[in-house]
């Protein structure tokens, strides 16, 4: 791999894989969430994630490539961390807080990934690509903000109980 274009394609394939894994993980997290507001937020972001996948397919089309996946080790690790914790049989309130934080970790991973990809696309002069990626980034930022609030509320409920 030598060029900025190669790096962009690699990172795009990584994020494309990450979004599929995230869509799956969000479904599982929503099912496990005992708090209705958290479950709704996770389901809503799952719907957004489906749209994000379509935008990434648009990006592939714009750069003249077929959509392809590069296994995203970052999200694979985050999903494993979440599943392992669920296996430790936490109480419902503990799991609510952990789930909000686990989802938040994934959002931050996506935020940094999209920011990097947008910078690269900007250097390559790909305005249309920047625009598509920015739409995904904006959704990740709004989701992170919302999860931050939910995590605070759920953490407070948990603290009051103990
Ligand atoms: Fe996403
Ligand atoms: Fe996301």
């Amino acid at each position: 791999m030598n060029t900025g274009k190669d790096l962009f394609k690699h990172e795009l394939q990584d994020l494309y894989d990450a979004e599929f894994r995230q869509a799956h993980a969000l479904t599982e997290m929503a099912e496990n969430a005992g708090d209705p507001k958290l479950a709704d937020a996770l389901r809503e972001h799952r719907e957004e994630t489906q749209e994000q996948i379509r935008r990434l397919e648009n990006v592939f089309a714009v750069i003249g490539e077929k959509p392809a996946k590069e296994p995203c080790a970052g999200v694979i690790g985050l999903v494993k961390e979440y599943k392992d914790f669920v296996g430790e049989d936490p109480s419902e309130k503990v799991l609510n807080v952990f789930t909000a934080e686990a989802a938040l970790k994934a959002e931050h991973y996506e935020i940094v990934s999209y920011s990097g990809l947008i910078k690269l696309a900007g250097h390559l002069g790909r305005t249309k690509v920047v625009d598509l990626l920015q739409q995904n980034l904006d959704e990740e930022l709004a989701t992170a903000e919302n999860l931050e609030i939910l995590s605070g509320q759920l953490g407070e409920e948990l603290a009051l109980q103990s």
Side-chain angles (χ1 to χ4, degrees), residues 122-134:
H123 296 319
L124 295 166
R126 292 284 192 174
T127 321
K128 169 79 182 152
V129 170
V130 168
D131 178 54
L132 286 164
L133 295 173
Q134 186 66 47

Side-chain angles (χ1 to χ4, degrees), residues 133-145:
L133 295 173
Q134 186 66 47
Q135 290 177 48
N136 284 11
L137 175 59
D138 288 346
E139 287 177 353
E140 312 298 18
L141 287 165
T143 301
E145 208 179 306

Side-chain angles (χ1 to χ4, degrees), residues 67-81:
K69 293 174 187 167
E70 171 77 32
C72 176
V75 170
I76 290 171
L78 289 171
V79 169
K80 183 181 185 305
E81 190 175 53

Side-chain angles (χ1 to χ4, degrees), residues 19-155:
E19 291 294 8
F20 276 94
R21 290 180 194 277
Q22 266 295 96
H24 203 266
L26 285 162
T27 305
E28 192 179 331
M29 284 178 174
E31 278 167 12
N32 288 339
D35 181 80
K37 270 193 287 181
L38 177 61
D40 282 351
L42 296 169
R43 259 185 241 114
E44 196 181 304
H45 192 49
R46 190 200 183 277
E47 296 309 308
E48 283 179 342
T49 300
Q50 290 301 130
E51 186 57 36
Q52 292 178 353
I53 288 171
R54 280 188 282 276
R55 284 194 202 106
L56 290 182
E57 285 164 356
N58 247 326
V59 172
F60 277 111
V62 172
I63 65 166
E65 295 281 346
K66 280 210 178 92
K69 293 174 187 167
E70 171 77 32
C72 176
V75 170
I76 290 171
L78 289 171
V79 169
K80 183 181 185 305
E81 190 175 53
Y82 174 74
K83 283 180 191 278
D84 287 352
F85 189 81
V86 173
E88 286 176 46
D89 198 24
S91 74
E92 185 181 298
K93 280 191 159 60
V94 165
L95 184 58
N96 279 339
V97 179
F98 189 86
T99 300
E101 287 294 317
L104 197 48
K105 280 181 196 173
E107 292 312 310
H108 281 266
Y109 183 91
E110 290 182 302
I111 287 166
V112 177
S113 301
Y114 276 114
S115 301
L117 214 47
I118 287 168
K119 272 183 271 180
L120 271 175
H123 296 319
L124 295 166
R126 292 284 192 174
T127 321
K128 169 79 182 152
V129 170
V130 168
D131 178 54
L132 286 164
L133 295 173
Q134 186 66 47
Q135 290 177 48
N136 284 11
L137 175 59
D138 288 346
E139 287 177 353
E140 312 298 18
L141 287 165
T143 301
E145 208 179 306
N146 189 25
L147 285 170
E148 197 73 64
I149 295 165
L150 283 171
S151 154
Q153 290 168 353
L154 294 165

